[in-house]
Amino acid sequence: MKHIIILYDGMADEPLPALGGKTPMEVARKPLFDAMGRDGEVGLVHTTPPGQSAGSDNTNLNILGYDSTKYYTGRSPIEAVSIGVPMAENDLALRCNLVTLSGEDNYADKTMVDYAGSEITTEQAREVIAKLQAALGSSEFEFYAGVQYRHCLLWKGGKDQLTRTITKFASRDACSKNINDIARSVSGDSPPGMHNTPPHDIIGQPIAAHLPSHPELLDLMQRSHVILEESKANSIWLWGEGTCPALPSFESMTKLKGSIISAVDLLKGIGMLAGMRTPTVPGATDWIDTNYKGEAEAAIEEFKRGQDFVFLHFEGTDEAGHRGDMQSKIRGIELIDEIVLPILLEYLEQQDDYALMILPDHPTPLARKTHTKAPVPYMMFRKSWRGNGNGVDSVNEKTATVTGHVITHAPDLMRKFIA
């Protein structure tokens, strides 16, 4: 039995006047997706638990069957695992975006122009990170290059330093807790360095209210701008800090040998932590120009080498949502239907039976340009279900609300899928 999840990152949306009150899922041409929806199960799943943000980190953990309220320790440490950053127990990893800020003289007066560094390439970014490491790296802080605008800052002993600082904000008992529990226990002002804002949440907004209050982190950001002032990616942005995570293996949890295929370090990091295979596909990107054919063929190769489960992740629809690019979001949905599904189904239909699920991890509404916590539609299909006609004619946010299928605890979705 082969199992595959196809994750359209951020695909879910809200009705748009420009689309006649419809969403990109409603107007996109996706005949294969919808055909499976007519014979499959369509419903809603709450991928973001109460008290957590709608991040791709915790939502994808939940979709894979890991309760993020139990296993989540921060976004950046997951990415750090993917790019080979060595972390000790007391270290903190922080996401280090290369961003583009506006031209005001005073750093705090600037506006977030582009969270992705004006489409900086991976090769360009590696040169920038090397320059930052030479100028700002120390025995305490070390920069590691990732992909495109996504990189990592390792703060050696950072957990202990933040814990000492947090004593000013919380009781001494709280300081013995997990770093995320510490953040949740704080009343009043946020402790320095905690709750840093993702840059994609503040596109076009002044950055002053979102700067880290920890003086060392703020100093690094300000000094990076002096170094990069003439570059299109003219500053770093630090956020998403956390401690080294640990996950039980996916195989021990599901009895399935699994693989994750993605162009994004975050998803590869989750796969590595879960003991899954994470093959690299040449030409795979986080945009709608990705190598769809290569990624679909890579999924089939994973099955042929004996894997039982593949998680195939596409980022382009999320990036389009953050940019407010309606046509690219629609086209991203269509390209997966045009290129990926025919290749996969040709292979899967040769099997006695298979299970396939398509869903987003969270909405990234075009009008908001950021993630929301709304439940997302899922479509679950098996070859043996074909012809039952119990589903819906088109899979989208609206049809998913009327089927009566609602999963409130996201990890239950995986258990249902493999049952």
Side-chain angles (χ1 to χ4, degrees):
M1 183 76 174
K2 302 299 184 184
H3 298 77
I4 184 166
I5 292 178
I6 307 176
L7 198 293
Y8 297 46
D9 203 301
M11 172 172 58
D13 214 297
E14 298 170 350
L16 292 166
L19 296 178
K22 295 183 178 181
T23 68
M25 284 190 75
E26 290 181 87
V27 303
R29 296 181 298 275
K30 48 183 181 27
L32 292 177
F33 186 177
D34 288 338
M36 287 184 285
R38 283 189 282 275
D39 291 330
E41 176 181 305
V42 176
L44 291 174
V45 55
H46 293 256
T47 55
T48 305
Q52 290 192 345
S53 62
S56 293
D57 38 21
N58 50 17
T59 55
N60 279 283
L61 281 171
N62 285 313
I63 290 169
L64 281 164
Y66 295 95
D67 187 339
S68 64
T69 63
K70 178 179 179 182
Y71 292 110
Y72 180 65
T73 65
R75 181 188 183 108
S76 187
I78 299 173
E79 297 172 325
V81 168
S82 175
I83 62 178
V85 177
M87 288 189 68
E89 182 180 354
N90 292 326
D91 292 344
L92 286 181
L94 296 95
R95 163 70 87 84
C96 179
N97 273 50
L98 294 177
V99 302
T100 303
L101 303 178
S102 59
E104 289 79 5
D105 291 336
N106 184 27
Y107 192 83
D109 293 336
K110 296 179 183 296
T111 294
M112 181 64 65
V113 176
D114 190 344
Y115 70 93
S118 302
E119 300 185 6
I120 190 169
T121 67
T122 298
E123 292 72 23
Q124 293 168 335
R126 288 187 182 279
E127 294 180 5
V128 171
I129 294 299
K131 181 187 294 187
L132 293 172
Q133 174 60 26
L136 305 178
S138 66
S139 60
E140 187 176 9
F141 294 106
E142 191 165 356
F143 292 84
Y144 288 85
V147 176
Q148 295 174 309
Y149 63 89
R150 308 179 187 93
H151 309 280
C152 179
L153 175 69
L154 182 65
W155 186 0
K156 299 176 183 177
K159 179 181 176 182
D160 288 342
Q161 292 207 36
L162 276 184
T163 300
R164 286 194 293 270
T165 306
I166 287 167
T167 58
K168 302 175 183 178
F169 295 83
S171 70
R172 190 170 298 275
D173 287 342
C175 294
S176 64
K177 298 180 181 179
N178 176 278
I179 197 74
N180 299 290
D181 294 329
I182 295 171
R184 286 191 287 268
S185 72
V186 172
S187 59
D189 294 335
S190 295
M194 302 302 294
H195 305 303
N196 290 338
T197 304
H200 52 256
D201 283 356
I202 55 171
I203 301 171
Q205 298 180 32
I207 65 173
H210 306 283
L211 294 171
S213 53
H214 196 287
E216 289 187 88
L217 300 182
L218 179 58
D219 179 64
L220 285 172
M221 289 168 60
Q222 292 173 327
R223 290 167 64 194
S224 76
H225 178 62
V226 174
I227 297 168
L228 305 176
E229 189 170 8
E230 301 303 319
S231 306
K232 61 181 182 179
N234 59 15
S235 182
I236 62 171
W237 189 269
L238 302 174
W239 64 285
E241 69 271 23
T243 55
C244 190
L247 298 178
S249 76
F250 183 78
E251 186 172 0
S252 69
M253 187 172 67
T254 64
K255 310 306 179 188
L256 301 176
K257 291 179 288 185
S259 301
I260 288 183
I261 298 172
S262 174
V264 178
D265 285 334
L266 174 67
L267 272 296
K268 289 187 175 183
I270 291 174
M272 291 177 181
L273 287 166
M276 304 170 76
R277 282 181 44 80
T278 57
T280 297
V281 179
T285 73
D286 64 356
W287 187 233
I288 65 168
D289 64 354
T290 192
N291 181 6
Y292 294 100
K293 181 174 182 289
E295 291 177 84
E297 291 173 344
I300 293 172
E301 286 303 311
E302 290 303 297
F303 284 135
K304 288 181 176 179
R305 66 178 293 132
Q307 301 298 87
D308 309 299
F309 171 88
V310 172
F311 188 89
L312 184 54
H313 172 266
F314 294 97
E315 177 75 3
T317 42
D318 182 62
E319 292 289 331
H322 286 305
R323 301 181 192 193
D325 187 341
M326 182 177 69
Q327 293 305 319
S328 290
K329 187 165 189 179
I330 294 169
R331 190 62 184 139
I333 297 170
E334 294 176 340
L335 284 168
I336 300 174
D337 206 273
E338 292 174 14
I339 303 173
V340 176
L341 289 180
I343 294 172
L344 291 175
L345 290 173
E346 182 180 4
Y347 169 79
L348 291 169
E349 286 296 327
Q350 299 173 32
Q351 314 304 313
D352 291 336
D353 200 4
Y354 64 87
L356 182 150
M357 182 161 62
I358 298 175
L359 78 165
D361 47 353
H362 51 68
T364 307
L366 289 156
R368 300 175 188 265
K369 298 183 181 180
T370 189
H371 304 172
T372 68
K373 297 182 179 182
V376 299
Y378 72 87
M379 188 285 299
M380 194 181 299
F381 175 82
R382 289 196 178 191
K383 179 181 178 180
S384 56
W385 294 354
R386 182 171 284 115
N388 67 23
N390 290 329
V392 298
D393 289 333
S394 174
V395 183
N396 56 64
E397 301 86 350
K398 293 178 183 176
T399 58
T401 64
V402 300
T403 63
H405 299 294
V406 180
I407 296 176
T408 57
H409 183 60
D412 292 341
L413 181 67
M414 175 60 74
R415 287 186 275 276
K416 182 174 187 177
F417 178 58
I418 66 176

